[in-house]
């Protein structure tokens, strides 16, 4: 059982982050924010996949003017991602952003941060202090020589002190690096001293082939240590894939449930059906299901019946045939070519959706 570290709770639009709120899943749009239609379309699709908050890049004034229209068209909270120009933050707040993310490394003079805080106070919205190893303040790079967990921590702490001067505590913090061990130590250091809610993730984790592994290891370890209130998986891939992976991480640690969990064996010399093809088809057929069901797809009688019995639904392969299980009982014996159809029929009956 994972014991989550106690953090303060903040409200971001219609969700809570931190405290006893569920660990939420978020991502970032990858459309040009100036293209309102494409951005709204992407967010609506992400909402349907379980995205619970969306960050949007605000690179210029043309982009920021669209935030209000985007916000009105979607349900999930909008987080405006601001770099370099503090005036974009003020306009994003006016447009109705539910949270502002600023990067301490590039927002500039203290008075600019004060301006952003004053506006966030007026509109009663939280700010994320989003520290990134790739854009640390020059002084910290000089002091430490290169990004380190201590430098990430110090960057966040420096901004927390500025926020405290204005008695502003409606804060969330992230301390990301593309290096997993650096990220882990930075979050550990931070959470040993502060109880602000934490947005966690591995920055610039890479393409799916390696990025999913880095993210799963990094985010998984932090969550296991009880650290993290909202997660973002950063992949060079469509944002829907980031959401899928984020839920898989949460599911694998028993933190959240969403959609099917497929248990399938690696196959071996005992397998007498084309299990790899079958699993691919099962996964594809079930990808739109939101209900948390477990489906075991197993190659033979060694572990097959055991796993299939424990799952909500399952099949155990035999010699060119399969046994179909539902809630622990064998309900059918079918030919290999009918396994997929029969399994989907049984799941359909249960879920009420046509597969
Ligand atoms: Fe091999 Fe059967 Fe185990 Fe699959 S369930 S790996 S086919 S022994």
């Amino acid at each position: 059982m994972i014991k989550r570290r106690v953090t303060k709770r903040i409200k971001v639009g219609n969700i809570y982050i931190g405290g006893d709120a569920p660990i939420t899943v978020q991502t970032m749009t990858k459309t040009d924010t100036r293209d309102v239609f494409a951005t709204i379309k992407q967010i609506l699709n992400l909402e349907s996949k379980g995205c619970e908050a969306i960050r949007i890049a605000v690179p210029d004034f043309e982009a920021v003017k669209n935030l209000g229209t985007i916000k009105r068209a979607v349900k999930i909270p909008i987080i405006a991602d601001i770099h370099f120009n503090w005036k974009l933050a003020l306009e994003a707040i006016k447009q109705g952003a539910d949270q502002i993310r600023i990067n301490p490394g590039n927002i500039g003079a203290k008075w600019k941060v004060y301006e952003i805080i004053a506006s966030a106070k007026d509109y009663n919205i939280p700010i994320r202090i989003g520290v990134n190893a790739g854009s640390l303040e020059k002084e910290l790079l000089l002091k430490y020589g290169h990004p380190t967990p201590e430098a990430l921590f110090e960057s966040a702490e420096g901004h927390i002190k500025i926020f405290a001067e204005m008695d502003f505590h409606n804060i969330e913090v992230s301390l990301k690096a593309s290096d997993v061990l650096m990220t882990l130590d930075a979050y550990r250091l931070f959470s040993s001293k502060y109880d602000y809610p934490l947005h966690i993730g591995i920055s610039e984790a890479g393409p799916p082939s390696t990025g999913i592994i880095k993210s799963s290891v990094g985010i998984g370890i932090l969550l296991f240590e009880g650290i993290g209130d909202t997660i973002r998986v950063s992949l060079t891939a469509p944002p829907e894939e980031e959401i899928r992976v984020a839920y898989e991480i949460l599911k694998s640690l028993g933190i959240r449930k969403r959609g099917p969990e497929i248990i399938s064996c690696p196959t071996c010399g005992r397998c007498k059906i084309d299990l790899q093809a079958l699993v691919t088809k099962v996964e594809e057929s079930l990808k739109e299901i939101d209900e948390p069901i477990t489906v075991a797809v197993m190659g033979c009688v060694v572990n097959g019946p055991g796993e299939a019995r424990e799952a909500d639904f399952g099949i155990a392969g035999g010699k060119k045939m399969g046994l179909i299980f539902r809630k622990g009982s064998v309900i059918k014996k079918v030919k290999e070519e009918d396994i997929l159809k029969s399994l989907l029929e049984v799941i359909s009956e249960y879920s009420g959706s046509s597969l």
Side-chain angles (χ1 to χ4, degrees), residues 97-155:
D98 298 297
Q99 185 181 33
I100 298 291
R101 180 269 170 119
I102 60 167
N103 182 331
N106 63 29
I107 215 72
K110 208 171 170 180
W111 65 267
K112 295 177 183 171
V113 182
Y114 284 153
E115 293 285 332
I116 299 172
I117 296 170
S119 179
K121 246 187 182 179
D122 282 351
Y123 284 78
N124 195 25
I125 63 161
I127 297 177
R128 167 151 75 97
I129 301 172
V131 177
N132 193 302
S135 49
L136 280 170
E137 293 96 317
K138 284 191 197 86
E139 313 84 79
L140 290 172
L141 287 174
L142 276 175
K143 177 175 171 184
Y144 289 96
H146 54 89
T148 64
E150 293 74 19
L152 291 167
F153 171 78
E154 208 171 309
S155 175

Side-chain angles (χ1 to χ4, degrees), residues 265-271 298-304:
C265 79
T267 82
C268 70
R270 292 186 189 86
C271 189
M298 304 290 292
C300 81
V301 293
V302 174
N303 293 323

Side-chain angles (χ1 to χ4, degrees), residues 261-307:
E261 181 185 350
I262 296 179
I263 299 151
S264 63
C265 79
T267 82
C268 70
R270 292 186 189 86
C271 189
K272 298 285 179 265
I273 57 172
D274 186 355
L275 198 80
Q276 284 190 27
L278 179 62
V279 169
T280 305
K281 285 179 196 156
V282 170
E283 192 177 26
E284 179 63 22
S285 306
L286 301 182
K287 71 178 185 195
E288 299 300 333
I289 288 197
D290 294 339
E291 280 174 80
I293 54 170
T294 49
V295 181
V297 186
M298 304 290 292
C300 81
V301 293
V302 174
N303 293 323
E307 286 287 359

